[in-house]
Amino acid sequence: MQLQTILNRVARHKSFVYGQPRFTNDALRPTIEVPIRARANGRPICSGCGQRRPGYDRLTPRRFEFVPLWQIAVVFVYALRRVDCPRCGVVVERVPWSSGKSRLTTAYQWFLAGWAKRLSWQEVASVFHTTWEHVRDSVRHAVAWGLVHRDLSGASAIGVDEIQWRRGHHYLTLVYQIDAGCKRLLWIGRERTEACLRRGLELLGQDFCSGLQFVCSDLWQPYLKVLAEQAGTAVHVLDRFHIMKQLGEAIDAVRAGEARRMKQDGYEPVLKHSRWCLLKRPENLTDQQTVKLDELLKYNLQSVRAYLHREDFQRFWEYQSPVWAGRFLDEWCTRVMRSRLEPLKKVARSLRKHRPLLLNWFRAQGTISAGIIEGFNNKAKLTMRKSYGFREFETIELALYHQLGNLPQPESTHRFC
Ligand SMILES: [Zn+2]
Protein backbone atom coordinates (compact mmCIF):
# COMPACT_ATOMS: atom_id res chain seq x y z
CA MET A 1 0.00 0.00 0.00
CA GLN A 2 1.29 3.38 -0.87
CA LEU A 3 1.41 6.35 1.46
CA GLN A 4 -0.80 8.33 -0.93
CA THR A 5 -3.51 5.69 -0.56
CA ILE A 6 -3.42 6.11 3.22
CA LEU A 7 -3.45 9.88 2.97
CA ASN A 8 -6.38 9.78 0.57
CA ARG A 9 -8.19 7.68 3.14
CA VAL A 10 -7.54 9.91 6.16
CA ALA A 11 -7.14 13.36 4.66
CA ARG A 12 -8.58 13.60 1.20
CA HIS A 13 -8.95 17.06 -0.22
CA LYS A 14 -10.94 17.80 -3.32
CA SER A 15 -9.02 19.91 -5.85
CA PHE A 16 -5.63 18.77 -4.50
CA VAL A 17 -3.50 15.72 -5.26
CA TYR A 18 -0.76 14.06 -3.20
CA GLY A 19 2.46 13.50 -5.14
CA GLN A 20 5.15 10.85 -4.68
CA PRO A 21 6.47 10.93 -1.06
CA ARG A 22 10.21 10.85 -0.44
CA PHE A 23 12.54 10.56 2.55
CA THR A 24 14.66 13.58 3.32
CA ASN A 25 18.07 13.30 4.88
CA ASP A 26 18.71 16.91 5.71
CA ALA A 27 16.25 17.07 8.63
CA LEU A 28 17.22 16.28 12.26
CA ARG A 29 14.84 13.33 12.44
CA PRO A 30 13.52 10.92 9.79
CA THR A 31 11.06 12.84 7.68
CA ILE A 32 8.79 12.00 4.77
CA GLU A 33 7.99 14.87 2.48
CA VAL A 34 4.74 14.66 0.54
CA PRO A 35 4.39 17.14 -2.29
CA ILE A 36 0.90 18.46 -2.91
CA ARG A 37 -0.27 20.03 -6.13
CA ALA A 38 -3.53 21.66 -7.08
CA ARG A 39 -5.66 20.06 -9.78
CA ALA A 40 -5.24 21.90 -13.03
CA ASN A 41 -8.93 22.60 -13.40
CA GLY A 42 -9.49 23.93 -9.85
CA ARG A 43 -9.39 27.64 -9.25
CA PRO A 44 -7.97 28.78 -5.90
CA ILE A 45 -10.19 30.03 -3.09
CA CYS A 46 -9.65 33.54 -1.75
CA SER A 47 -8.76 33.42 1.96
CA GLY A 48 -10.48 36.77 2.44
CA CYS A 49 -13.99 36.07 1.18
CA GLY A 50 -14.01 32.32 0.53
CA GLN A 51 -14.91 32.67 -3.16
CA ARG A 52 -13.15 31.00 -6.08
CA ARG A 53 -11.03 33.57 -7.84
CA PRO A 54 -8.56 33.63 -10.73
CA GLY A 55 -4.98 32.80 -9.76
CA TYR A 56 -2.44 35.60 -9.65
CA ASP A 57 0.93 34.02 -8.93
CA ARG A 58 2.58 31.29 -6.89
CA LEU A 59 4.72 31.68 -3.75
CA THR A 60 7.76 29.60 -2.86
CA PRO A 61 6.88 26.14 -1.44
CA ARG A 62 5.91 25.98 2.22
CA ARG A 63 6.02 23.05 4.62
CA PHE A 64 3.04 21.92 6.69
CA GLU A 65 3.58 19.33 9.38
CA PHE A 66 1.09 16.44 9.37
CA VAL A 67 0.45 13.66 11.94
CA PRO A 68 3.65 11.57 12.19
CA LEU A 69 3.66 7.99 10.95
CA TRP A 70 5.50 5.51 13.24
CA GLN A 71 7.36 8.47 14.73
CA ILE A 72 8.51 9.50 11.26
CA ALA A 73 7.63 13.13 10.64
CA VAL A 74 5.26 13.67 7.73
CA VAL A 75 5.47 17.04 6.03
CA PHE A 76 3.33 18.37 3.20
CA VAL A 77 5.08 20.63 0.74
CA TYR A 78 2.96 23.00 -1.24
CA ALA A 79 3.50 26.28 -3.07
CA LEU A 80 0.57 28.51 -2.12
CA ARG A 81 -1.07 30.46 -4.92
CA ARG A 82 -2.22 34.02 -4.62
CA VAL A 83 -5.55 35.06 -6.04
CA ASP A 84 -6.59 38.24 -7.72
CA CYS A 85 -9.83 38.97 -5.90
CA PRO A 86 -12.00 41.93 -6.93
CA ARG A 87 -13.09 42.33 -3.30
CA CYS A 88 -9.96 41.55 -1.29
CA GLY A 89 -7.15 42.41 -3.73
CA VAL A 90 -4.18 40.11 -4.22
CA VAL A 91 -4.27 37.66 -1.31
CA VAL A 92 -3.05 34.17 -0.57
CA GLU A 93 -5.38 31.23 -1.24
CA ARG A 94 -7.17 29.17 1.40
CA VAL A 95 -6.13 25.52 1.68
CA PRO A 96 -8.22 22.86 3.45
CA TRP A 97 -5.44 21.26 5.51
CA SER A 98 -4.20 24.38 7.26
CA SER A 99 -5.59 27.58 8.67
CA GLY A 100 -3.80 30.87 8.85
CA LYS A 101 -0.08 31.04 9.27
CA SER A 102 0.52 27.92 11.33
CA ARG A 103 3.24 25.54 10.27
CA LEU A 104 1.14 22.65 11.52
CA THR A 105 -1.73 21.15 9.59
CA THR A 106 -5.12 21.34 11.27
CA ALA A 107 -5.19 17.55 11.60
CA TYR A 108 -1.88 17.59 13.46
CA GLN A 109 -3.10 20.37 15.74
CA TRP A 110 -6.14 18.30 16.71
CA PHE A 111 -3.89 15.33 17.24
CA LEU A 112 -1.58 17.23 19.61
CA ALA A 113 -4.50 18.87 21.39
CA GLY A 114 -6.04 15.42 21.95
CA TRP A 115 -2.88 14.17 23.61
CA ALA A 116 -2.61 17.36 25.66
CA LYS A 117 -5.76 16.25 27.49
CA ARG A 118 -4.04 13.08 28.64
CA LEU A 119 -0.45 14.24 29.21
CA SER A 120 1.17 17.46 30.30
CA TRP A 121 2.02 19.81 27.44
CA GLN A 122 5.71 19.27 28.04
CA GLU A 123 5.27 15.51 27.79
CA VAL A 124 3.30 15.82 24.55
CA ALA A 125 6.04 18.00 23.09
CA SER A 126 8.75 15.53 23.99
CA VAL A 127 6.86 12.38 22.90
CA PHE A 128 6.07 13.82 19.47
CA HIS A 129 9.34 15.69 18.94
CA THR A 130 7.75 19.07 18.78
CA THR A 131 7.90 22.22 20.89
CA TRP A 132 5.86 23.31 23.89
CA GLU A 133 4.77 26.34 21.86
CA HIS A 134 3.36 24.13 19.11
CA VAL A 135 1.39 22.16 21.67
CA ARG A 136 0.07 25.39 23.19
CA ASP A 137 -0.92 26.72 19.75
CA SER A 138 -2.70 23.45 19.01
CA VAL A 139 -4.65 23.64 22.27
CA ARG A 140 -5.45 27.28 21.52
CA HIS A 141 -6.82 26.26 18.13
CA ALA A 142 -8.93 23.45 19.63
CA VAL A 143 -10.29 25.70 22.38
CA ALA A 144 -11.15 28.52 19.97
CA TRP A 145 -13.00 26.11 17.68
CA GLY A 146 -14.80 24.47 20.58
CA LEU A 147 -15.93 27.76 22.14
CA VAL A 148 -17.41 28.92 18.84
CA HIS A 149 -19.19 25.63 18.20
CA ARG A 150 -20.47 24.76 21.67
CA ASP A 151 -24.17 24.82 22.37
CA LEU A 152 -25.29 26.74 25.44
CA SER A 153 -29.00 26.17 25.02
CA GLY A 154 -30.91 24.31 27.67
CA ALA A 155 -28.56 25.08 30.56
CA SER A 156 -30.55 25.29 33.76
CA ALA A 157 -28.00 25.22 36.58
CA ILE A 158 -24.63 26.88 37.08
CA GLY A 159 -22.09 26.97 39.86
CA VAL A 160 -19.70 29.84 40.48
CA ASP A 161 -16.46 29.10 42.23
CA GLU A 162 -13.16 30.80 42.88
CA ILE A 163 -9.76 29.21 42.73
CA GLN A 164 -6.40 30.47 43.82
CA TRP A 165 -3.65 30.88 41.29
CA ARG A 166 -0.09 32.12 41.64
CA ARG A 167 1.05 32.91 45.14
CA GLY A 168 -0.81 35.35 47.34
CA HIS A 169 -4.35 36.49 46.92
CA HIS A 170 -4.93 35.96 43.24
CA TYR A 171 -8.20 34.27 42.45
CA LEU A 172 -9.84 33.17 39.24
CA THR A 173 -13.60 33.02 38.87
CA LEU A 174 -14.90 29.83 37.30
CA VAL A 175 -18.45 29.37 36.03
CA TYR A 176 -19.59 25.77 35.59
CA GLN A 177 -22.68 24.27 34.10
CA ILE A 178 -23.89 21.69 36.63
CA ASP A 179 -26.95 20.18 34.96
CA ALA A 180 -27.37 16.45 35.54
CA GLY A 181 -26.80 15.65 31.87
CA CYS A 182 -24.14 18.26 31.15
CA LYS A 183 -21.38 19.26 33.49
CA ARG A 184 -18.63 21.46 32.13
CA LEU A 185 -16.60 24.61 32.63
CA LEU A 186 -18.25 27.51 30.83
CA TRP A 187 -16.19 30.56 31.60
CA ILE A 188 -13.00 31.75 33.35
CA GLY A 189 -12.37 35.23 34.69
CA ARG A 190 -9.06 36.50 35.93
CA GLU A 191 -10.36 38.06 39.16
CA ARG A 192 -13.16 37.47 41.62
CA THR A 193 -14.71 40.92 41.46
CA GLU A 194 -18.25 41.96 40.65
CA ALA A 195 -17.19 43.42 37.32
CA CYS A 196 -15.45 40.21 36.38
CA LEU A 197 -18.41 37.90 37.01
CA ARG A 198 -20.79 40.40 35.41
CA ARG A 199 -18.70 40.37 32.25
CA GLY A 200 -18.70 36.58 32.22
CA LEU A 201 -22.47 36.33 32.53
CA GLU A 202 -22.91 38.98 29.85
CA LEU A 203 -20.73 36.95 27.52
CA LEU A 204 -22.82 33.85 28.18
CA GLY A 205 -25.78 35.97 27.19
CA GLN A 206 -29.13 37.29 28.31
CA ASP A 207 -31.01 34.20 27.13
CA PHE A 208 -28.61 31.96 28.97
CA CYS A 209 -29.07 33.82 32.28
CA SER A 210 -32.84 34.02 32.06
CA GLY A 211 -33.05 30.28 31.39
CA LEU A 212 -31.31 29.41 34.65
CA GLN A 213 -33.31 27.72 37.40
CA PHE A 214 -30.54 27.18 39.92
CA VAL A 215 -27.33 29.04 40.67
CA CYS A 216 -24.87 27.79 43.20
CA SER A 217 -22.01 29.66 44.88
CA ASP A 218 -20.18 30.27 48.12
CA LEU A 219 -20.70 33.26 50.42
CA TRP A 220 -18.37 35.61 48.55
CA GLN A 221 -20.30 38.90 48.53
CA PRO A 222 -19.55 40.08 44.96
CA TYR A 223 -20.83 36.76 43.58
CA LEU A 224 -24.02 36.92 45.65
CA LYS A 225 -24.67 40.43 44.43
CA VAL A 226 -24.06 39.81 40.71
CA LEU A 227 -25.98 36.51 40.69
CA ALA A 228 -28.99 38.20 42.31
CA GLU A 229 -28.88 40.94 39.72
CA GLN A 230 -28.22 38.86 36.59
CA ALA A 231 -30.07 35.66 37.41
CA GLY A 232 -32.67 36.94 39.85
CA THR A 233 -35.33 34.41 38.85
CA ALA A 234 -33.12 31.41 39.63
CA VAL A 235 -33.05 29.77 43.06
CA HIS A 236 -29.72 30.63 44.66
CA VAL A 237 -28.17 27.73 46.53
CA LEU A 238 -25.17 28.02 48.81
CA ASP A 239 -22.70 25.32 48.10
CA ARG A 240 -22.28 22.69 50.82
CA PHE A 241 -18.61 22.13 50.05
CA HIS A 242 -17.70 25.76 50.69
CA ILE A 243 -19.67 26.04 53.91
CA MET A 244 -18.05 22.94 55.37
CA LYS A 245 -14.70 24.28 54.23
CA GLN A 246 -15.34 27.54 56.10
CA LEU A 247 -16.18 25.59 59.24
CA GLY A 248 -12.98 23.62 58.81
CA GLU A 249 -10.99 26.82 58.57
CA ALA A 250 -12.67 28.14 61.71
CA ILE A 251 -11.70 24.99 63.64
CA ASP A 252 -8.17 25.40 62.44
CA ALA A 253 -8.09 29.00 63.65
CA VAL A 254 -9.41 27.96 67.08
CA ARG A 255 -6.84 25.17 67.30
CA ALA A 256 -3.92 27.39 66.30
CA GLY A 257 -4.88 30.08 68.82
CA GLU A 258 -5.31 27.56 71.59
CA ALA A 259 -2.06 25.74 70.89
CA ARG A 260 -0.22 29.06 71.07
CA ARG A 261 -1.85 29.95 74.40
CA MET A 262 -1.17 26.53 75.91
CA LYS A 263 2.46 26.68 74.97
CA GLN A 264 2.76 30.12 76.59
CA ASP A 265 1.16 28.77 79.77
CA GLY A 266 3.59 25.86 79.83
CA TYR A 267 1.11 23.02 79.22
CA GLU A 268 2.17 19.87 77.44
CA PRO A 269 1.59 20.11 73.74
CA VAL A 270 -1.47 17.83 73.32
CA LEU A 271 -2.47 19.77 70.22
CA LYS A 272 0.68 18.98 68.36
CA HIS A 273 -0.01 16.96 65.21
CA SER A 274 -3.70 17.10 65.95
CA ARG A 275 -4.59 19.23 62.98
CA TRP A 276 -5.72 16.37 60.78
CA CYS A 277 -7.68 14.67 63.52
CA LEU A 278 -9.80 17.75 63.86
CA LEU A 279 -10.22 18.48 60.20
CA LYS A 280 -11.06 15.00 59.03
CA ARG A 281 -14.43 13.35 59.29
CA PRO A 282 -14.39 10.54 61.92
CA GLU A 283 -14.85 7.81 59.30
CA ASN A 284 -11.74 9.00 57.45
CA LEU A 285 -9.37 8.83 60.43
CA THR A 286 -6.53 6.33 60.52
CA ASP A 287 -6.14 4.13 63.62
CA GLN A 288 -3.35 6.26 64.96
CA GLN A 289 -5.35 9.41 64.43
CA THR A 290 -8.33 7.89 66.24
CA VAL A 291 -6.14 7.34 69.32
CA LYS A 292 -5.00 10.95 69.10
CA LEU A 293 -8.60 12.12 68.85
CA ASP A 294 -9.57 10.07 71.93
CA GLU A 295 -6.68 11.64 73.79
CA LEU A 296 -7.84 15.09 72.73
CA LEU A 297 -11.39 14.42 73.77
CA LYS A 298 -10.22 13.82 77.35
CA TYR A 299 -9.52 17.51 77.65
CA ASN A 300 -12.37 19.94 77.39
CA LEU A 301 -10.43 21.93 74.88
CA GLN A 302 -11.79 24.72 72.75
CA SER A 303 -10.57 22.90 69.66
CA VAL A 304 -12.58 19.88 70.61
CA ARG A 305 -15.69 21.90 71.22
CA ALA A 306 -15.25 23.60 67.87
CA TYR A 307 -14.86 20.18 66.28
CA LEU A 308 -18.05 18.93 67.89
CA HIS A 309 -19.99 21.95 66.65
CA ARG A 310 -18.83 21.23 63.12
CA GLU A 311 -19.75 17.55 63.43
CA ASP A 312 -23.13 18.59 64.72
CA PHE A 313 -23.64 20.83 61.73
CA GLN A 314 -23.35 17.85 59.38
CA ARG A 315 -26.87 16.96 60.46
CA PHE A 316 -28.13 20.11 58.78
CA TRP A 317 -27.65 18.59 55.33
CA GLU A 318 -29.64 15.52 56.16
CA TYR A 319 -32.96 17.26 56.65
CA GLN A 320 -35.67 16.84 54.05
CA SER A 321 -37.82 19.81 54.95
CA PRO A 322 -36.59 23.40 54.84
CA VAL A 323 -38.72 24.23 57.90
CA TRP A 324 -36.99 21.71 60.15
CA ALA A 325 -33.62 22.47 58.68
CA GLY A 326 -34.27 26.14 59.43
CA ARG A 327 -35.12 25.35 63.01
CA PHE A 328 -31.96 23.30 63.39
CA LEU A 329 -29.90 26.10 61.85
CA ASP A 330 -31.27 28.67 64.31
CA GLU A 331 -30.54 26.42 67.28
CA TRP A 332 -27.08 25.62 66.06
CA CYS A 333 -26.27 29.31 65.57
CA THR A 334 -27.57 30.17 69.04
CA ARG A 335 -25.38 27.46 70.60
CA VAL A 336 -22.33 28.65 68.72
CA MET A 337 -22.96 32.28 69.58
CA ARG A 338 -22.94 31.32 73.29
CA SER A 339 -19.61 29.59 72.94
CA ARG A 340 -16.49 31.63 73.20
CA LEU A 341 -15.12 30.35 69.93
CA GLU A 342 -14.68 33.57 68.00
CA PRO A 343 -13.76 32.12 64.57
CA LEU A 344 -16.78 29.82 64.69
CA LYS A 345 -19.05 32.67 65.79
CA LYS A 346 -17.97 34.56 62.71
CA VAL A 347 -19.16 31.72 60.50
CA ALA A 348 -22.43 31.44 62.44
CA ARG A 349 -23.10 35.16 61.97
CA SER A 350 -22.63 34.85 58.24
CA LEU A 351 -24.82 31.73 58.06
CA ARG A 352 -27.56 33.57 59.93
CA LYS A 353 -27.30 36.47 57.55
CA HIS A 354 -27.72 34.16 54.55
CA ARG A 355 -30.36 31.92 56.10
CA PRO A 356 -32.77 31.99 53.11
CA LEU A 357 -30.00 31.08 50.67
CA LEU A 358 -28.88 28.23 52.89
CA LEU A 359 -32.39 26.85 53.05
CA ASN A 360 -32.62 26.97 49.26
CA TRP A 361 -30.38 23.91 49.39
CA PHE A 362 -33.49 21.94 50.37
CA ARG A 363 -35.60 23.46 47.62
CA ALA A 364 -33.00 22.32 45.11
CA GLN A 365 -32.57 18.90 46.66
CA GLY A 366 -31.92 16.17 44.15
CA THR A 367 -31.20 18.69 41.42
CA ILE A 368 -27.72 19.71 42.43
CA SER A 369 -25.39 16.99 43.58
CA ALA A 370 -23.43 17.85 46.67
CA GLY A 371 -19.99 17.01 45.38
CA ILE A 372 -20.20 18.59 41.98
CA ILE A 373 -18.48 21.92 42.70
CA GLU A 374 -15.91 20.20 44.88
CA GLY A 375 -15.17 17.75 42.07
CA PHE A 376 -14.61 20.54 39.57
CA ASN A 377 -12.54 22.47 42.08
CA ASN A 378 -10.23 19.47 42.54
CA LYS A 379 -9.91 18.88 38.80
CA ALA A 380 -9.12 22.53 38.18
CA LYS A 381 -6.43 22.44 40.87
CA LEU A 382 -4.97 19.30 39.35
CA THR A 383 -4.89 20.88 35.90
CA MET A 384 -3.12 23.92 37.28
CA ARG A 385 -0.63 21.78 39.16
CA LYS A 386 0.10 19.68 36.10
CA SER A 387 0.71 22.80 34.10
CA TYR A 388 3.37 24.06 36.47
CA GLY A 389 5.39 26.75 34.85
CA PHE A 390 2.24 28.38 33.50
CA ARG A 391 2.47 31.94 34.67
CA GLU A 392 0.46 33.58 31.94
CA PHE A 393 -3.25 33.89 32.51
CA GLU A 394 -3.96 32.96 28.90
CA THR A 395 -2.13 29.65 29.25
CA ILE A 396 -4.02 28.68 32.41
CA GLU A 397 -7.24 29.73 30.75
CA LEU A 398 -6.51 27.50 27.74
CA ALA A 399 -5.55 24.54 29.90
CA LEU A 400 -8.72 24.81 32.01
CA TYR A 401 -11.07 25.19 29.04
CA HIS A 402 -9.35 22.31 27.32
CA GLN A 403 -9.50 20.01 30.31
CA LEU A 404 -12.83 20.90 31.86
CA GLY A 405 -14.80 22.62 29.09
CA ASN A 406 -16.01 19.41 27.44
CA LEU A 407 -15.71 21.33 24.18
CA PRO A 408 -16.93 19.87 20.90
CA GLN A 409 -14.54 19.02 18.09
CA PRO A 410 -15.09 18.35 14.40
CA GLU A 411 -16.24 14.84 13.55
CA SER A 412 -13.30 14.26 11.22
CA THR A 413 -10.69 14.61 13.97
CA HIS A 414 -11.82 11.59 16.00
CA ARG A 415 -9.91 9.14 13.88
CA PHE A 416 -6.53 10.55 14.96
CA CYS A 417 -6.84 10.44 18.70
ZN1 LIG B 1 -11.77 37.72 -1.67
Side-chain angles (χ1 to χ4, degrees), residues 108-340:
Y108 191 33
Q109 286 188 317
W110 282 109
F111 176 84
L112 290 177
W115 279 102
K117 272 189 193 166
R118 304 171 176 106
L119 304 173
S120 78
W121 296 5
Q122 195 54 59
E123 283 168 321
V124 177
S126 92
V127 170
F128 296 105
H129 304 283
T130 184
T131 61
W132 185 91
E133 284 75 14
H134 277 160
V135 178
R136 179 201 53 204
D137 293 347
S138 302
V139 171
R140 185 188 280 146
H141 167 262
V143 166
W145 196 94
L147 288 178
V148 169
H149 290 86
R150 72 179 173 180
D151 180 11
L152 292 178
S153 63
S156 71
I158 58 165
V160 180
D161 190 19
E162 72 220 18
I163 191 161
Q164 195 173 10
W165 74 300
R166 289 170 158 178
R167 286 180 189 285
H169 289 281
H170 295 280
Y171 289 89
L172 305 177
T173 295
L174 304 178
V175 178
Y176 303 108
Q177 181 176 354
I178 53 172
D179 283 295
C182 184
K183 299 180 174 64
R184 57 184 172 169
L185 173 66
L186 292 178
W187 186 77
I188 305 160
R190 66 185 309 161
E191 282 150 345
R192 54 166 180 174
T193 56
E194 277 178 36
C196 181
L197 179 58
R198 199 172 287 130
R199 193 170 58 245
L201 292 177
E202 274 162 14
L203 278 171
L204 291 170
Q206 186 71 56
D207 288 348
F208 176 86
C209 290
S210 52
L212 294 174
Q213 289 169 24
F214 294 104
V215 296
C216 189
S217 77
D218 60 5
L219 286 168
W220 181 241
Q221 203 58 42
Y223 292 167
L224 297 180
K225 189 173 165 201
V226 175
L227 286 171
E229 144 200 319
Q230 304 268 327
T233 52
V235 176
H236 193 146
V237 180
L238 290 181
D239 179 51
R240 172 176 175 171
F241 160 60
H242 281 107
I243 290 166
M244 294 320 283
K245 199 170 136 209
Q246 272 196 328
L247 285 172
E249 281 162 6
I251 293 178
D252 207 31
V254 172
R255 186 200 59 88
E258 189 171 44
R260 215 167 27 240
R261 265 196 316 282
M262 287 181 72
K263 201 176 168 206
Q264 275 169 9
D265 300 347
Y267 286 105
E268 56 174 319
V270 273
L271 286 170
K272 224 172 164 190
H273 309 302
S274 64
R275 184 161 184 254
W276 297 109
C277 302
L278 292 169
L279 293 180
K280 274 186 173 179
R281 303 292 327 278
E283 60 269 28
N284 297 336
L285 291 175
T286 63
D287 287 348
Q288 213 182 352
Q289 284 170 334
T290 309
V291 174
K292 189 88 198 174
L293 185 59
D294 288 342
E295 205 177 302
L296 283 172
L297 288 169
K298 283 191 202 133
Y299 297 78
N300 185 18
L301 296 169
Q302 290 195 347
S303 313
V304 175
R305 279 187 287 131
Y307 172 83
L308 292 174
H309 280 303
R310 199 268 315 257
E311 274 315 294
D312 193 24
F313 193 80
Q314 293 286 1
R315 275 169 39 209
F316 175 72
W317 308 107
E318 278 148 33
Y319 280 94
Q320 298 291 322
S321 115
V323 178
W324 284 98
R327 203 164 292 174
F328 172 83
L329 179 65
D330 297 339
E331 282 165 11
W332 186 87
C333 287
T334 310
R335 275 200 303 280
V336 168
M337 293 311 285
R338 281 196 205 120
S339 76
R340 261 164 290 160

Side-chain angles (χ1 to χ4, degrees), residues 46 48-50 53 85 87-88 91:
C46 168
C49 60
R53 300 294 188 199
C85 176
R87 249 169 70 186
C88 316
V91 291

